[in-house]
């Protein structure tokens, strides 16, 4: 039930933004009664957190797959998968950044954004077996994500060039 609700909420916020959807819109998107929605997410903030957690898990599965944390994946492959996410799921940018932009003083949302970005960059470095700082990988992935709506495939090519310049282009399997 929670996956269904979280997925519906994620879709509603991703397509309508965080301010526009009414509680009734969110209920309809979740496909449950208002009572059930409030049982699992008793406030709009809780609905946003539920949607972002769902998004985070889907993103990790899309970018890194269902394989174990010790599986190898080059940084270029990670960038290809991020680009595929942008093509198919998030052509308008990062939902986490959008949430913080709508509530810039919400420390919990900002912390969720930071945690998401840190986990993604650390996992990318670990999977690549690369000798590159997670903060550098974060900048490369964020650059790709933010530039996607303007540059599309050219943003992917630039991100790969930056990864190569940083010495992590293929991140040889150790």
């Amino acid at each position: 039930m929670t996956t269904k609700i979280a997925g519906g909420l994620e879709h509603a916020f991703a397509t309508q933004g965080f301010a526009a959807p009414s509680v009734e819109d969110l209920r309809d998107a979740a496909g449950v009664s208002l009572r059930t929605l409030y049982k699992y997410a008793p406030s709009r903030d809780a609905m946003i957190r539920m949607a972002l957690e769902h998004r985070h898990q889907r993103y990790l599965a899309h970018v890194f797959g269902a394989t174990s944390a010790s599986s190898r994946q080059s940084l270029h492959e990670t960038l290809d998968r991020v680009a595929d996410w942008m093509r198919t799921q998030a052509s308008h940018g990062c939902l986490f950044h959008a949430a913080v932009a709508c509530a810039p003083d919400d420390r919990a949302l900002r912390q969720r954004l930071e945690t998401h970005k840190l986990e993604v960059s650390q996992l990318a470095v670990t999977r690549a077996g690369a000798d590159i700082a997670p903060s550098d990988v974060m900048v490369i992935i964020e650059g790709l994500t933010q530039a996607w709506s303007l540059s599309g495939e050219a943003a992917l090519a630039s991100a790969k060039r930056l990864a190569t310049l940083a010495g992590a282009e293929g991140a040889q399997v150790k």
Side-chain angles (χ1 to χ4, degrees):
M1 179 64 76
T2 57
T3 301
K4 174 186 172 186
I5 293 169
L9 293 172
E10 177 199 348
H11 180 75
F13 290 129
T15 57
Q16 300 176 45
F18 289 93
S22 67
V23 173
E24 290 77 18
D25 293 333
L26 296 171
R27 175 205 62 212
D28 292 346
V32 295
S33 69
L34 194 55
R35 181 179 181 150
T36 300
L37 177 59
Y38 277 124
K39 174 182 174 185
Y40 290 98
S43 68
R44 188 178 194 87
D45 287 345
M47 291 175 202
I48 291 170
R49 286 191 303 274
M50 181 183 261
L52 291 176
E53 182 56 33
H54 188 261
R55 180 73 154 214
H56 174 71
Q57 295 304 321
R58 284 192 335 102
Y59 183 82
L60 291 179
H62 187 95
V63 173
F64 299 107
T67 57
S68 71
S70 64
S71 298
R72 294 292 182 203
Q73 176 175 307
S74 74
L75 187 54
H76 278 196
E77 185 178 351
T78 296
L79 295 172
D80 284 333
R81 290 178 177 204
V82 170
D84 185 63
W85 175 266
M86 297 308 296
R87 267 184 224 103
T88 62
Q89 304 293 315
S91 62
H92 299 295
C94 175
L95 194 62
F96 292 86
H97 279 293
V100 170
C102 285
D105 296 326
D106 186 324
R107 289 185 177 190
L109 276 181
R110 178 150 181 90
Q111 181 61 48
R112 187 64 191 104
L113 165 67
E114 290 172 6
T115 301
H116 169 72
K117 299 302 180 179
L118 184 60
E119 187 174 342
V120 168
S121 60
Q122 288 178 332
L123 191 52
V125 169
T126 299
R127 287 287 185 90
D131 186 21
I132 184 173
S135 59
D136 292 344
V137 171
M138 184 186 303
V139 168
I140 293 168
I141 292 173
E142 284 300 290
L144 170 56
T145 300
Q146 294 304 313
W148 185 264
S149 65
L150 298 172
S151 304
E153 299 299 326
L156 174 59
S158 293
K160 286 182 173 181
R161 279 193 300 277
L162 291 171
T164 300
L165 289 171
E169 69 281 353
Q172 302 303 315
V173 174
K174 294 180 180 179

